Amino acid sequence: MNDIRSQDAPGRPARAAALDLLAAALSRRAGLDEGLAHPALKALSPRDRAFARALVMATLRRLGPIDSALQAKLQKPPPERVVNLLRLGAAQLFVLQTPAHAAVDATVDLAASDNATRPFKNLVNAVLRGLTREPPELGDPDLLAPSWLHARWRAAYGEAEARAIAAQIAEEPATDLTLKDPAAAAELAAGLEAEVLPGGSLRTALKGEVSAWPGFAEGLWWVQDASAAIPARLFGIEAGQSALDLCAAPGGKTLQLAAMGARTTAVDKSPGRVKRVSENLARTGLSAEVVVADAAQWADRRRFDAVLLDAPCSATGTFRRHPDVLWAAKPGDIASLAALQSRLLDAAGRRVKAGGRLVYCVCSLEPEEGQPQVDAFLARTPEFELEPIAPGEAGAPEASLTEQGTLRILPHHRAGGTDGFFIARLRRKADMPQGAP
């Protein structure tokens, strides 16, 4: 994003695309991803496309403080599209640091270009010029997350931890990479201007098209947050063992298991997302069986040495790269997702061989999706026991280890930030009878 800071705003098509992209991001889960894949955005020049994405991400990362500043200037709320125009204008002014005349004029021009927003162009002009005279403070952690989520984090982790979590929302993250061959870490780190993290992930500050970075075309690595790389490492896979990755797309953990030498099967119910798994396997030259099926109802009767369940969840732990999840989430989502996670855990458990391991994880900060799920599963499934994770094992931050021996990774537990995760490792007792899968 640094290459567009302090420059005059690109043309109207880029700003119009940003307006549509912001509306999509705030309207529904996965709206940002859908918007980024829209043909209208892809039709823009690379510079305009980069600007539209950077502007929306800057807006989302500071949406709470921006809205607080706008509310102080508005006597009554205008239509949502006008609010989004103001949000984008404020982000240009105070995050991207676009010169004031360019940011204000460009936003007013965009308002004037649409019949629905044209009557509000003077309001847009007045509010943004008012903000330039009284610049808002956009870094208050208490405002960076939706109030209901911040309250949940306070209740779960305490005031100081909640503020530390929220402070990460405003930070643009570096990119983490998982290597096909961990032995190549030092060589690849030099070419990618990266540091080697505990566990073997690389963290690079490179920007721009990932496909142009050294080693991408050769399939030597894939993008995967350092936290997301931990679950697969916890199996201690030996070459030739069988591994099952449930809810596998987009496939980072499948690639890890295959690279470790496991005979890997990846299951996901979305044909479009399964296609991404296959594409990633092809690029890296790795092999895995890829199946389109609902993990809870998959009819296959095989059992595996290692079963990984990265369950569907609220995804609040991924806000560093997906800040829209915070604003598209609803309180009711957590309870409904917890019920789904319970069903999937039962299905995953039936797939584990005697003596085999089950790793359950969610990229969520919400307590209901973590330890209580594991406790309930163990209570109703006596053939499993918790296998505690050791301090620092698999590159996990030591601060993330819980008293129970599970991991509750918070975004500030790693210098420079990391995705929030809950991870637990379970083992099926070798001396317990097994029913049908």
Side-chain angles (χ1 to χ4, degrees), residues 35 57 65 135 143 158 165 174 221 257 292 303 341 384 401:
M57 294 297 281
L143 296 176
I165 292 169
W221 49 263
L257 295 168
V292 179
R303 298 183 190 276
Q341 290 150 12
F384 277 88
L401 190 64

Side-chain angles (χ1 to χ4, degrees), residues 103-417:
V104 175
D105 291 351
T107 308
V108 172
D109 171 72
L110 186 56
S113 70
D114 185 336
N115 288 338
T117 55
R118 188 176 298 124
F120 298 91
K121 67 177 184 177
N122 290 336
L123 174 69
V124 170
N125 181 66
V127 170
L128 293 181
R129 291 194 184 281
L131 289 178
T132 65
R133 292 190 291 272
E134 300 176 73
E137 167 54 51
L138 299 186
D140 184 353
D142 289 335
L143 296 176
L144 284 168
S147 58
W148 69 274
L149 270 176
H150 197 96
R152 288 178 58 85
W153 299 342
R154 261 198 319 271
Y157 308 116
E159 179 66 33
E161 293 284 76
R163 285 176 61 86
I165 292 169
Q168 290 289 326
I169 297 170
E171 301 300 320
E172 183 181 2
T175 301
D176 296 343
L177 311 174
T178 298
L179 306 186
K180 180 179 175 180
D181 178 7
E187 180 183 354
L188 285 170
L192 289 160
E193 303 174 28
E195 63 172 315
V196 182
L197 300 178
S201 295
L202 297 190
R203 173 162 291 183
T204 175
L206 290 178
K207 303 295 181 184
E209 291 293 331
V210 169
S211 59
W213 295 357
F216 177 88
E218 297 82 3
L220 302 182
W221 49 263
W222 51 93
V223 175
Q224 185 178 33
D225 188 83
S227 290
I230 292 170
R233 296 183 187 135
L234 291 172
F235 287 113
I237 289 286
E238 297 177 6
Q241 286 188 317
S242 58
L244 174 62
D245 186 8
L246 294 173
C247 309
K253 298 175 183 65
T254 298
L255 298 177
Q256 285 182 278
L257 295 168
M260 293 171 188
R263 293 179 288 110
T264 305
T265 300
V267 177
D268 198 281
K269 69 178 184 179
S270 166
R273 286 168 58 81
V274 163
K275 182 181 178 183
R276 291 182 62 191
V277 179
S278 298
E279 290 170 349
N280 286 325
L281 286 164
R283 180 177 65 81
T284 55
L286 294 168
S287 177
E289 176 188 9
V290 181
V291 179
V292 179
D294 184 331
Q297 301 176 3
W298 187 37
D300 195 295
R301 298 178 66 83
R302 285 177 289 171
R303 298 183 190 276
F304 299 81
D305 296 301
V307 176
L308 196 162
L309 173 61
D310 186 353
C313 67
S314 61
T316 51
T318 67
F319 64 66
R320 294 164 59 249
R321 290 176 181 80
H322 305 283
D324 55 307
V325 301
L326 300 177
W327 303 99
K330 302 292 186 291
D333 295 345
I334 295 165
S336 61
L337 286 164
L340 173 60
Q341 290 150 12
S342 178
R343 294 196 301 273
L344 287 169
L345 253 175
D346 288 343
R350 293 192 291 269
R351 303 288 175 185
V352 182
K353 287 182 179 179
R357 285 167 163 163
L358 166 63
V359 170
Y360 168 77
C361 62
V362 285
C363 54
S364 167
L365 296 170
E366 311 320 308
E368 299 93 322
E369 300 181 86
Q371 191 71 47
Q373 287 288 359
V374 171
D375 293 344
F377 174 77
L378 290 172
R380 66 179 179 265
T381 319
E383 59 266 37
F384 277 88
E385 61 186 357
L386 187 71
E387 187 173 66
I389 297 166
E393 186 176 354
E398 293 201 16
S400 305
L401 190 64
T402 70
E403 292 181 359
Q404 295 90 340
T406 57
L407 293 175
R408 166 53 75 189
I409 304 174
L410 300 181
H412 58 287
H413 280 175
R414 192 186 300 277

